[in-house]
Coordinates of all heavy atoms in Angstrom, one line a residue:
M1 N -20.6 -3.4 21.7 CA -20.7 -4.6 22.6 C -20.5 -4.2 24.0 O -19.7 -3.4 24.4 CB -19.6 -5.6 22.2 CG -19.7 -7.0 22.8 SD -18.7 -8.2 22.0 CE -19.5 -9.7 22.6
P2 N -21.3 -4.8 24.9 CA -21.2 -4.5 26.3 C -19.8 -5.0 26.8 O -19.2 -5.9 26.3 CB -22.3 -5.3 27.0 CG -22.8 -6.3 26.0 CD -22.4 -5.8 24.6
Q3 N -19.4 -4.4 27.9 CA -18.1 -4.8 28.5 C -18.1 -4.7 30.0 O -18.9 -4.0 30.5 CB -16.9 -4.0 27.9 CG -17.0 -2.5 28.2 CD -15.8 -1.8 27.5 OE1 -15.3 -2.2 26.5 NE2 -15.4 -0.7 28.2
V4 N -17.2 -5.4 30.6 CA -17.0 -5.3 32.0 C -15.5 -5.1 32.3 O -14.7 -5.8 31.7 CB -17.4 -6.6 32.8 CG1 -17.3 -6.4 34.3 CG2 -18.8 -7.0 32.4
T5 N -15.2 -4.1 33.1 CA -13.8 -3.8 33.5 C -13.7 -4.4 34.9 O -14.4 -4.0 35.9 CB -13.5 -2.3 33.5 OG1 -13.8 -1.9 32.2 CG2 -12.1 -2.1 33.9
F6 N -12.7 -5.3 35.1 CA -12.4 -5.9 36.4 C -11.1 -5.3 36.9 O -10.1 -5.3 36.2 CB -12.2 -7.4 36.3 CG -13.5 -8.2 35.8 CD1 -13.7 -8.4 34.5 CD2 -14.4 -8.6 36.8 CE1 -14.9 -9.1 34.1 CE2 -15.5 -9.3 36.4 CZ -15.8 -9.6 35.1
T7 N -11.1 -4.8 38.1 CA -9.9 -4.3 38.7 C -9.6 -5.2 39.9 O -10.4 -5.4 40.8 CB -10.1 -2.9 39.2 OG1 -10.5 -2.0 38.1 CG2 -8.8 -2.3 39.8
D8 N -8.4 -5.8 39.9 CA -8.0 -6.7 41.0 C -7.6 -5.9 42.2 O -7.4 -4.7 42.1 CB -7.1 -7.8 40.5 CG -5.7 -7.3 40.2 OD1 -5.3 -6.2 40.7 OD2 -4.9 -8.0 39.5
S9 N -7.3 -6.6 43.2 CA -7.0 -5.9 44.5 C -5.6 -5.2 44.4 O -5.3 -4.3 45.3 CB -7.0 -6.9 45.7 OG -6.1 -7.9 45.4
S10 N -4.8 -5.5 43.4 CA -3.6 -4.7 43.2 C -3.7 -3.5 42.3 O -2.8 -2.7 42.1 CB -2.5 -5.6 42.6 OG -2.7 -5.9 41.3
G11 N -4.9 -3.4 41.8 CA -5.2 -2.2 40.9 C -5.1 -2.5 39.4 O -5.4 -1.6 38.6
A12 N -4.8 -3.7 39.0 CA -4.7 -4.1 37.6 C -6.0 -4.2 37.0 O -6.9 -4.9 37.6 CB -3.9 -5.4 37.5
E13 N -6.2 -3.6 35.8 CA -7.5 -3.6 35.2 C -7.5 -4.6 34.0 O -6.6 -4.7 33.2 CB -7.8 -2.3 34.6 CG -8.4 -1.3 35.6 CD -9.0 0.0 34.9 OE1 -8.9 0.1 33.7 OE2 -9.4 0.8 35.7
T14 N -8.6 -5.3 33.8 CA -8.8 -6.2 32.7 C -10.2 -5.9 32.1 O -11.2 -5.9 32.8 CB -8.8 -7.7 33.1 OG1 -7.6 -8.0 33.7 CG2 -8.9 -8.6 31.8
V15 N -10.2 -5.5 30.8 CA -11.5 -5.2 30.2 C -11.9 -6.4 29.3 O -11.2 -6.9 28.5 CB -11.4 -3.9 29.3 CG1 -12.7 -3.6 28.7 CG2 -10.8 -2.8 30.1
I16 N -13.2 -6.9 29.5 CA -13.7 -8.0 28.9 C -14.9 -7.7 28.1 O -15.8 -7.0 28.6 CB -14.1 -9.1 29.9 CG1 -12.9 -9.5 30.8 CG2 -14.6 -10.4 29.2 CD1 -11.9 -10.4 30.2
A17 N -15.0 -8.1 26.8 CA -16.2 -7.9 26.0 C -17.2 -9.0 26.5 O -16.8 -10.2 26.6 CB -15.9 -8.1 24.6
A18 N -18.4 -8.6 26.9 CA -19.3 -9.5 27.5 C -20.5 -9.8 26.6 O -20.8 -9.0 25.7 CB -19.8 -8.8 28.8
N19 N -21.2 -10.9 26.9 CA -22.4 -11.3 26.1 C -23.7 -10.8 26.9 O -23.8 -11.0 28.1 CB -22.4 -12.8 26.0 CG -21.2 -13.3 25.2 OD1 -20.8 -12.7 24.2 ND2 -20.7 -14.4 25.6
V20 N -24.6 -10.3 26.1 CA -25.9 -9.9 26.7 C -26.5 -11.1 27.3 O -26.6 -12.2 26.7 CB -26.8 -9.2 25.6 CG1 -28.2 -9.0 26.2 CG2 -26.2 -8.0 25.1
G21 N -27.0 -11.0 28.5 CA -27.7 -12.1 29.2 C -26.9 -12.9 30.1 O -27.4 -13.5 31.0
D22 N -25.6 -12.8 29.9 CA -24.7 -13.4 30.9 C -24.6 -12.6 32.2 O -25.0 -11.5 32.2 CB -23.2 -13.5 30.3 CG -23.0 -14.6 29.3 OD1 -24.0 -15.4 29.1 OD2 -21.9 -14.7 28.7
S23 N -24.2 -13.3 33.2 CA -23.9 -12.5 34.5 C -22.5 -12.0 34.4 O -21.6 -12.5 33.7 CB -24.2 -13.4 35.7 OG -23.2 -14.4 35.8
V24 N -22.2 -11.1 35.3 CA -20.8 -10.6 35.5 C -19.9 -11.8 35.9 O -18.8 -11.9 35.5 CB -20.8 -9.4 36.5 CG1 -19.3 -9.1 36.8 CG2 -21.5 -8.2 35.8
M25 N -20.4 -12.6 36.8 CA -19.7 -13.8 37.3 C -19.3 -14.7 36.1 O -18.2 -15.1 35.9 CB -20.5 -14.6 38.3 CG -19.9 -15.9 38.8 SD -20.1 -17.3 37.8 CE -21.8 -17.8 38.2
E26 N -20.3 -15.0 35.3 CA -20.1 -15.9 34.1 C -19.0 -15.3 33.2 O -18.1 -16.0 32.6 CB -21.3 -16.2 33.3 CG -22.3 -17.1 34.1 CD -23.7 -17.0 33.5 OE1 -24.1 -16.0 32.9 OE2 -24.4 -18.1 33.7
T27 N -19.1 -14.0 33.0 CA -18.1 -13.3 32.1 C -16.7 -13.4 32.7 O -15.8 -13.7 32.0 CB -18.5 -11.8 32.0 OG1 -19.9 -11.7 31.5 CG2 -17.6 -11.0 31.2
A28 N -16.6 -13.3 34.0 CA -15.3 -13.4 34.7 C -14.8 -14.9 34.6 O -13.6 -15.1 34.2 CB -15.5 -13.1 36.2
V29 N -15.6 -15.8 34.9 CA -15.1 -17.2 34.9 C -14.7 -17.7 33.5 O -13.6 -18.3 33.3 CB -16.2 -18.2 35.5 CG1 -15.8 -19.6 35.3 CG2 -16.4 -17.9 37.0
R30 N -15.5 -17.3 32.5 CA -15.2 -17.7 31.1 C -13.9 -17.1 30.6 O -13.3 -17.6 29.7 CB -16.3 -17.3 30.2 CG -17.5 -18.3 30.3 CD -18.2 -18.3 29.0 NE -19.5 -18.9 29.3 CZ -20.7 -18.2 29.4 NH1 -20.7 -16.9 29.1 NH2 -21.8 -18.8 29.7
N31 N -13.5 -16.0 31.2 CA -12.4 -15.3 30.7 C -11.2 -15.3 31.6 O -10.2 -14.5 31.5 CB -12.8 -13.8 30.4 CG -13.7 -13.7 29.2 OD1 -13.2 -13.8 28.1 ND2 -15.0 -13.6 29.4
G32 N -11.2 -16.2 32.6 CA -10.1 -16.5 33.4 C -9.7 -15.4 34.4 O -8.6 -15.3 34.8
I33 N -10.8 -14.7 34.9 CA -10.5 -13.7 35.9 C -10.4 -14.4 37.2 O -11.4 -15.0 37.7 CB -11.7 -12.6 36.0 CG1 -11.8 -11.9 34.7 CG2 -11.5 -11.7 37.2 CD1 -10.7 -10.9 34.4
T34 N -9.2 -14.5 37.8 CA -9.0 -15.4 38.9 C -9.6 -14.9 40.3 O -9.7 -15.7 41.2 CB -7.5 -15.6 39.1 OG1 -6.8 -14.3 39.2 CG2 -6.9 -16.3 37.9
G35 N -10.0 -13.6 40.3 CA -10.5 -13.1 41.6 C -11.9 -13.5 41.9 O -12.5 -13.1 42.9
I36 N -12.6 -14.2 41.0 CA -13.9 -14.7 41.2 C -13.9 -16.2 41.3 O -13.4 -16.9 40.4 CB -14.8 -14.3 40.0 CG1 -14.9 -12.8 39.8 CG2 -16.2 -14.9 40.1 CD1 -15.8 -12.0 40.7
V37 N -14.3 -16.7 42.4 CA -14.3 -18.2 42.6 C -15.6 -18.8 42.1 O -15.6 -19.8 41.4 CB -14.0 -18.5 44.1 CG1 -14.0 -20.0 44.3 CG2 -12.6 -17.9 44.5
A38 N -16.7 -18.3 42.6 CA -18.0 -18.8 42.1 C -18.2 -20.3 42.4 O -18.6 -21.0 41.5 CB -18.3 -18.4 40.7
E39 N -18.0 -20.7 43.6 CA -18.1 -22.1 44.0 C -19.4 -22.7 43.6 O -19.5 -23.9 43.3 CB -17.8 -22.3 45.5 CG -16.4 -22.5 45.8 CD -16.2 -22.4 47.3 OE1 -17.1 -22.3 48.1 OE2 -15.0 -22.5 47.7
C40 N -20.5 -22.0 43.8 CA -21.8 -22.6 43.6 C -22.3 -22.5 42.2 O -23.4 -22.9 41.9 CB -22.8 -22.0 44.6 SG -23.4 -20.3 44.1
G41 N -21.6 -21.9 41.3 CA -21.9 -21.8 39.9 C -23.1 -20.8 39.6 O -23.7 -20.8 38.6
G42 N -23.4 -20.0 40.6 CA -24.4 -18.9 40.4 C -25.7 -19.2 41.0 O -26.7 -18.5 40.7
S43 N -25.8 -20.2 41.9 CA -27.1 -20.5 42.5 C -27.3 -19.8 43.8 O -28.1 -20.1 44.6 CB -27.2 -22.0 42.7 OG -26.1 -22.5 43.6
L44 N -26.5 -18.7 44.0 CA -26.7 -17.8 45.2 C -26.5 -18.6 46.5 O -27.3 -18.4 47.4 CB -28.1 -17.1 45.1 CG -28.3 -15.8 45.8 CD1 -27.1 -14.9 45.6 CD2 -29.6 -15.2 45.4
S45 N -25.5 -19.4 46.6 CA -25.3 -20.1 47.9 C -23.9 -20.1 48.3 O -23.5 -20.9 49.2 CB -25.9 -21.5 47.8 OG -25.2 -22.2 46.7
C46 N -23.0 -19.3 47.8 CA -21.6 -19.4 48.2 C -20.9 -18.0 48.6 O -20.1 -18.0 49.4 CB -20.7 -20.0 47.1 SG -20.4 -19.0 45.7
A47 N -21.4 -17.0 48.0 CA -20.8 -15.6 48.2 C -19.3 -15.5 47.8 O -18.6 -14.6 48.3 CB -21.1 -15.2 49.6
T48 N -18.9 -16.4 46.9 CA -17.5 -16.3 46.5 C -17.4 -15.6 45.1 O -16.4 -15.8 44.4 CB -16.8 -17.6 46.4 OG1 -17.4 -18.5 45.5 CG2 -16.7 -18.3 47.8
C49 N -18.4 -14.8 44.8 CA -18.4 -14.0 43.6 C -18.6 -12.5 43.9 O -19.0 -11.8 43.1 CB -19.5 -14.5 42.6 SG -21.1 -14.3 43.3
H50 N -18.2 -12.2 45.1 CA -18.3 -10.8 45.6 C -17.5 -9.8 44.8 O -16.4 -10.1 44.5 CB -17.8 -10.9 47.1 CG -17.9 -9.6 47.8 ND1 -17.1 -9.4 48.9 CD2 -18.6 -8.5 47.7 CE1 -17.3 -8.2 49.4 NE2 -18.3 -7.6 48.7
V51 N -18.2 -8.7 44.5 CA -17.5 -7.6 43.8 C -17.9 -6.3 44.4 O -19.0 -6.2 45.1 CB -17.7 -7.5 42.3 CG1 -17.2 -8.8 41.6 CG2 -19.2 -7.4 42.0
F52 N -17.1 -5.3 44.2 CA -17.5 -3.9 44.6 C -17.7 -3.1 43.3 O -16.9 -3.1 42.4 CB -16.3 -3.2 45.4 CG -15.9 -4.0 46.6 CD1 -14.7 -4.7 46.6 CD2 -16.7 -4.0 47.7 CE1 -14.3 -5.4 47.8 CE2 -16.3 -4.7 48.9 CZ -15.1 -5.4 48.9
V53 N -19.0 -2.6 43.2 CA -19.4 -2.0 41.9 C -19.0 -0.5 42.0 O -19.2 0.1 43.1 CB -20.9 -2.1 41.8 CG1 -21.4 -1.3 40.5 CG2 -21.3 -3.6 41.6
R54 N -18.5 0.1 40.9 CA -18.2 1.5 41.0 C -19.4 2.3 41.4 O -20.5 2.1 40.9 CB -17.7 2.0 39.6 CG -16.9 3.2 39.6 CD -16.3 3.6 38.3 NE -17.4 4.1 37.4 CZ -17.3 4.4 36.1 NH1 -16.1 4.2 35.5 NH2 -18.3 4.8 35.4
E55 N -19.2 3.2 42.4 CA -20.3 3.8 43.1 C -21.3 4.5 42.1 O -22.5 4.4 42.3 CB -19.8 4.9 44.0 CG -18.8 4.4 45.0 CD -19.5 3.9 46.3 OE1 -20.7 4.0 46.4 OE2 -18.8 3.3 47.1
D56 N -20.9 5.1 41.1 CA -21.8 5.9 40.2 C -22.6 4.9 39.3 O -23.5 5.4 38.6 CB -21.0 6.9 39.3 CG -20.1 6.3 38.3 OD1 -19.6 5.2 38.6 OD2 -19.9 6.8 37.3
Q57 N -22.3 3.6 39.4 CA -23.1 2.7 38.5 C -24.1 1.9 39.4 O -24.9 1.2 38.8 CB -22.1 1.7 37.9 CG -21.2 2.4 36.9 CD -20.4 1.5 36.1 OE1 -19.9 0.5 36.6 NE2 -20.3 1.8 34.8
L58 N -24.1 2.1 40.7 CA -25.0 1.3 41.5 C -26.5 1.5 41.2 O -27.2 0.5 41.1 CB -24.8 1.6 43.0 CG -23.5 1.0 43.6 CD1 -23.3 1.7 45.0 CD2 -23.6 -0.5 43.7
A59 N -26.8 2.7 40.9 CA -28.3 3.0 40.7 C -28.8 2.4 39.4 O -30.0 2.2 39.2 CB -28.5 4.5 40.7
S60 N -27.9 2.1 38.5 CA -28.3 1.6 37.2 C -28.5 0.1 37.2 O -29.0 -0.5 36.2 CB -27.3 1.9 36.1 OG -26.1 1.2 36.3
L61 N -28.2 -0.6 38.3 CA -28.3 -2.0 38.4 C -29.7 -2.4 38.9 O -30.3 -1.7 39.6 CB -27.2 -2.6 39.4 CG -25.8 -2.3 39.0 CD1 -24.9 -2.8 40.1 CD2 -25.4 -2.9 37.7
A62 N -30.0 -3.6 38.6 CA -31.3 -4.2 39.2 C -31.1 -4.2 40.7 O -30.0 -4.6 41.2 CB -31.5 -5.6 38.6
P63 N -32.2 -3.9 41.4 CA -32.1 -3.9 42.9 C -31.7 -5.3 43.4 O -32.0 -6.3 42.8 CB -33.4 -3.4 43.3 CG -34.3 -3.2 42.1 CD -33.5 -3.5 40.9
M64 N -31.1 -5.3 44.6 CA -30.7 -6.5 45.2 C -31.9 -7.2 45.8 O -32.8 -6.6 46.4 CB -29.8 -6.1 46.4 CG -29.0 -7.2 46.9 SD -28.0 -6.7 48.3 CE -26.9 -5.5 47.6
E65 N -32.0 -8.5 45.6 CA -33.1 -9.3 46.2 C -32.6 -9.6 47.6 O -31.4 -9.6 48.0 CB -33.2 -10.7 45.5 CG -33.5 -10.5 44.0 CD -35.0 -10.4 43.7 OE1 -35.8 -10.7 44.6 OE2 -35.4 -10.0 42.6
E66 N -33.6 -10.0 48.5 CA -33.3 -10.3 49.9 C -32.2 -11.4 50.1 O -31.4 -11.3 50.9 CB -34.6 -10.7 50.5 CG -34.5 -10.8 52.0 CD -35.9 -11.2 52.7 OE1 -36.9 -11.0 52.1 OE2 -35.8 -11.7 53.8
M67 N -32.3 -12.4 49.2 CA -31.3 -13.5 49.4 C -29.9 -13.0 49.1 O -29.0 -13.4 49.9 CB -31.7 -14.7 48.5 CG -30.9 -15.9 48.7 SD -31.2 -16.6 50.3 CE -30.1 -17.9 50.3
E68 N -29.7 -12.2 48.1 CA -28.4 -11.7 47.8 C -27.9 -10.9 49.0 O -26.7 -11.0 49.5 CB -28.4 -10.9 46.5 CG -27.0 -10.3 46.2 CD -27.0 -9.4 45.0 OE1 -28.0 -9.3 44.3 OE2 -25.9 -8.8 44.8
D69 N -28.8 -10.0 49.5 CA -28.4 -9.2 50.7 C -28.0 -10.1 51.9 O -27.0 -9.8 52.5 CB -29.7 -8.4 51.0 CG -29.4 -7.2 52.0 OD1 -28.2 -6.8 52.1 OD2 -30.3 -6.8 52.7
E70 N -28.7 -11.1 52.1 CA -28.3 -12.0 53.2 C -27.0 -12.7 53.0 O -26.1 -12.8 53.8 CB -29.4 -13.1 53.4 CG -30.7 -12.5 53.8 CD -31.4 -13.4 54.8 OE1 -31.0 -14.5 55.0 OE2 -32.4 -12.9 55.4
M71 N -26.8 -13.1 51.7 CA -25.5 -13.8 51.4 C -24.3 -12.9 51.5 O -23.2 -13.3 51.9 CB -25.6 -14.4 50.0 CG -26.5 -15.5 49.8 SD -26.1 -17.0 50.7 CE -24.5 -17.4 50.0
L72 N -24.5 -11.6 51.3 CA -23.4 -10.7 51.4 C -22.9 -10.5 52.8 O -21.8 -10.0 53.0 CB -23.8 -9.3 50.8 CG -23.7 -9.2 49.3 CD1 -24.5 -8.0 48.8 CD2 -22.3 -9.1 48.8
W73 N -23.6 -11.0 53.8 CA -23.1 -10.9 55.2 C -22.1 -12.0 55.4 O -21.4 -12.1 56.4 CB -24.2 -11.0 56.2 CG -25.1 -9.7 56.1 CD1 -26.4 -9.7 55.7 CD2 -24.7 -8.4 56.5 NE1 -26.8 -8.4 55.8 CE2 -25.8 -7.6 56.2 CE3 -23.5 -7.8 57.0 CZ2 -25.8 -6.2 56.5 CZ3 -23.5 -6.5 57.2 CH2 -24.6 -5.7 56.9
G74 N -22.0 -12.9 54.4 CA -21.1 -14.1 54.6 C -19.8 -14.0 53.7 O -19.2 -15.0 53.6
T75 N -19.5 -12.9 53.2 CA -18.4 -12.8 52.3 C -17.1 -12.8 53.1 O -17.1 -12.5 54.3 CB -18.4 -11.5 51.5 OG1 -18.6 -10.4 52.4 CG2 -19.6 -11.5 50.5
S76 N -16.0 -13.2 52.4 CA -14.7 -13.4 53.1 C -14.2 -12.0 53.5 O -13.7 -11.8 54.6 CB -13.8 -14.1 52.2 OG -12.6 -14.4 52.8
V77 N -14.2 -11.1 52.5 CA -13.9 -9.7 52.8 C -15.2 -8.9 53.1 O -16.2 -9.1 52.4 CB -13.2 -9.0 51.6 CG1 -13.0 -7.5 51.8 CG2 -11.8 -9.7 51.4
D78 N -15.2 -8.2 54.2 CA -16.4 -7.5 54.6 C -17.1 -6.7 53.5 O -16.5 -6.1 52.7 CB -16.2 -6.5 55.8 CG -15.9 -7.3 57.1 OD1 -16.1 -8.5 57.2 OD2 -15.4 -6.6 58.0
R79 N -18.4 -6.8 53.5 CA -19.2 -6.1 52.5 C -19.1 -4.6 52.7 O -18.8 -4.1 53.9 CB -20.7 -6.5 52.5 CG -21.4 -6.0 53.8 CD -22.8 -6.6 53.8 NE -23.7 -5.9 52.9 CZ -25.0 -6.3 52.7 NH1 -25.5 -7.3 53.4 NH2 -25.7 -5.7 51.8
Q80 N -19.2 -3.8 51.6 CA -19.3 -2.4 51.7 C -20.6 -1.9 51.1 O -21.4 -2.8 50.6 CB -18.1 -1.8 50.8 CG -16.8 -2.3 51.2 CD -16.2 -1.8 52.5 OE1 -16.5 -0.7 52.9 NE2 -15.5 -2.6 53.2
D81 N -20.9 -0.7 51.1 CA -22.1 -0.2 50.5 C -22.3 -0.5 49.1 O -23.4 -0.6 48.5 CB -22.3 1.4 50.7 CG -22.5 1.7 52.2 OD1 -22.8 0.8 53.0 OD2 -22.3 2.9 52.5
N82 N -21.2 -0.7 48.4 CA -21.2 -1.0 46.9 C -21.0 -2.4 46.6 O -20.6 -2.8 45.5 CB -20.2 -0.1 46.2 CG -18.8 -0.3 46.6 OD1 -18.5 -0.8 47.7 ND2 -17.8 0.1 45.8
S83 N -21.1 -3.3 47.6 CA -20.9 -4.7 47.4 C -22.1 -5.3 46.6 O -23.3 -5.0 46.9 CB -20.8 -5.5 48.7 OG -19.5 -5.2 49.3
R84 N -21.8 -6.3 45.7 CA -22.9 -7.1 45.1 C -22.3 -8.5 44.8 O -21.1 -8.6 44.8 CB -23.3 -6.5 43.7 CG -24.0 -5.2 43.8 CD -25.4 -5.2 44.4 NE -26.3 -6.2 43.8 CZ -27.3 -5.9 43.0 NH1 -27.5 -4.6 42.7 NH2 -28.1 -6.8 42.5
L85 N -23.2 -9.4 44.6 CA -22.7 -10.7 44.2 C -22.8 -10.7 42.6 O -23.9 -10.5 42.1 CB -23.6 -11.8 44.8 CG -23.4 -12.0 46.3 CD1 -24.3 -13.1 46.8 CD2 -21.9 -12.2 46.7
S86 N -21.7 -11.0 42.0 CA -21.6 -10.8 40.5 C -22.4 -11.8 39.8 O -22.8 -11.6 38.6 CB -20.1 -10.9 40.1 OG -19.5 -12.1 40.4
C87 N -22.8 -12.9 40.4 CA -23.7 -13.9 39.7 C -25.1 -13.3 39.6 O -25.9 -13.8 38.8 CB -23.7 -15.2 40.4 SG -24.5 -15.3 42.0
Q88 N -25.4 -12.2 40.3 CA -26.7 -11.6 40.2 C -26.8 -10.4 39.3 O -27.8 -9.7 39.2 CB -27.2 -11.3 41.6 CG -27.3 -12.5 42.6 CD -28.2 -13.6 42.0 OE1 -29.3 -13.4 41.8 NE2 -27.6 -14.8 41.8
L89 N -25.7 -10.0 38.7 CA -25.6 -8.9 37.9 C -25.6 -9.3 36.4 O -24.7 -9.9 35.9 CB -24.3 -8.1 38.2 CG -24.1 -7.6 39.6 CD1 -22.7 -6.9 39.8 CD2 -25.2 -6.7 40.1
R90 N -26.7 -9.0 35.7 CA -26.9 -9.3 34.3 C -26.3 -8.3 33.4 O -26.5 -7.1 33.6 CB -28.4 -9.5 34.0 CG -29.0 -10.7 34.6 CD -28.6 -12.0 33.8 NE -28.6 -13.1 34.8 CZ -27.9 -14.2 34.7 NH1 -27.2 -14.4 33.6 NH2 -28.0 -15.2 35.6
I91 N -25.7 -8.8 32.3 CA -25.2 -7.9 31.3 C -26.4 -7.5 30.3 O -27.1 -8.4 29.9 CB -24.1 -8.6 30.5 CG1 -23.0 -9.1 31.4 CG2 -23.6 -7.7 29.4 CD1 -22.2 -8.1 32.0
D92 N -26.6 -6.2 30.1 CA -27.5 -5.9 29.0 C -26.8 -5.1 27.9 O -25.6 -4.9 28.0 CB -28.7 -5.1 29.6 CG -28.4 -3.8 30.2 OD1 -27.3 -3.2 29.8 OD2 -29.1 -3.4 31.1
E93 N -27.6 -4.7 26.9 CA -27.0 -4.1 25.7 C -26.0 -3.0 26.0 O -24.9 -2.9 25.4 CB -28.1 -3.5 24.8 CG -28.9 -4.5 24.0 CD -28.1 -5.2 23.0 OE1 -27.0 -4.7 22.6 OE2 -28.5 -6.3 22.5
G94 N -26.4 -2.1 26.9 CA -25.5 -0.9 27.2 C -24.6 -1.1 28.3 O -23.9 -0.1 28.7
S95 N -24.4 -2.3 28.8 CA -23.5 -2.4 30.0 C -22.1 -2.0 29.7 O -21.5 -2.4 28.7 CB -23.5 -3.9 30.4 OG -24.7 -4.3 31.0
D96 N -21.6 -1.2 30.6 CA -20.2 -0.9 30.7 C -19.8 -0.8 32.2 O -19.6 0.2 32.7 CB -19.9 0.5 30.0 CG -18.4 0.9 30.0 OD1 -17.6 0.0 30.3 OD2 -18.1 2.1 29.8
L97 N -19.8 -2.0 32.8 CA -19.7 -2.1 34.2 C -18.2 -2.1 34.7 O -17.4 -2.6 34.0 CB -20.4 -3.4 34.7 CG -21.9 -3.4 34.8 CD1 -22.4 -4.8 35.1 CD2 -22.4 -2.4 35.9
H98 N -18.0 -1.5 35.8 CA -16.7 -1.5 36.4 C -16.8 -2.0 37.8 O -17.5 -1.5 38.6 CB -16.1 0.0 36.5 CG -15.8 0.6 35.2 ND1 -14.6 0.8 34.7 CD2 -16.7 0.9 34.1 CE1 -14.6 1.3 33.5 NE2 -15.9 1.4 33.1
V99 N -16.1 -3.1 38.0 CA -16.1 -3.8 39.3 C -14.7 -4.0 39.8 O -13.8 -4.3 39.1 CB -16.9 -5.1 39.3 CG1 -18.4 -4.9 38.9 CG2 -16.2 -6.2 38.4
T100 N -14.6 -3.9 41.2 CA -13.3 -4.2 41.8 C -13.4 -5.5 42.6 O -14.5 -5.7 43.2 CB -12.9 -3.0 42.7 OG1 -12.8 -1.9 41.9 CG2 -11.6 -3.3 43.4
L101 N -12.4 -6.3 42.6 CA -12.4 -7.6 43.2 C -11.9 -7.5 44.6 O -10.9 -6.8 44.8 CB -11.6 -8.6 42.4 CG -12.0 -8.7 40.9 CD1 -11.1 -9.6 40.2 CD2 -13.4 -9.3 40.8
P102 N -12.4 -8.2 45.6 CA -11.9 -8.2 46.9 C -10.5 -9.0 46.9 O -10.2 -9.7 46.0 CB -12.9 -8.9 47.8 CG -13.7 -9.7 46.8 CD -13.6 -9.0 45.5
E103 N -9.8 -8.8 48.0 CA -8.5 -9.5 48.1 C -8.6 -11.0 48.1 O -7.7 -11.7 47.5 CB -7.8 -9.1 49.4 CG -6.9 -7.9 49.3 CD -6.3 -7.5 50.6 OE1 -5.9 -8.4 51.4 OE2 -6.3 -6.3 50.9
T104 N -9.6 -11.5 48.7 CA -9.9 -12.9 48.6 C -11.4 -13.2 48.6 O -12.2 -12.4 49.1 CB -9.2 -13.6 49.9 OG1 -9.4 -15.0 49.8 CG2 -9.7 -13.0 51.2
Q105 N -11.7 -14.4 48.2 CA -13.1 -14.8 48.1 C -13.4 -15.9 49.1 O -14.6 -16.3 49.4 CB -13.6 -15.3 46.7 CG -13.5 -14.2 45.7 CD -14.7 -13.3 45.7 OE1 -15.5 -13.3 46.5 NE2 -14.7 -12.4 44.7
V106 N -12.3 -16.5 49.7 CA -12.5 -17.6 50.6 C -11.7 -17.5 51.9 O -10.8 -16.7 51.9 CB -12.1 -19.0 50.0 CG1 -13.0 -19.3 48.8 CG2 -10.7 -18.9 49.5
Ligands
FES1 FE1 -22.2 -18.5 44.4 FE2 -22.6 -16.1 43.2 S1 -21.5 -17.7 42.4 S2 -23.3 -16.8 45.2

């Protein structure tokens, strides 16, 4: 089963079994990961689902669309080269994603 490992800003890790087709944001919200706010529910208009993806996994993700790239300039904690919006990251069969949460989303 695919899984997502969330590391909070204090370094604590939570591993969640994920459903194929869900987004990383949906996986977080359904499982009570508090570091993801997701105010807009995944409609790409809030940037409160910001995560930092483990560097060696970036290339395996679907490329960022222009709108996500623009929204990432509005995150509460400054974007980094490995920033993504978790509502745009889909889980597939082989997913074993590792993401770190910023200190705050708002
Ligand atoms: Fe709002 Fe991702 S949940 S942009």
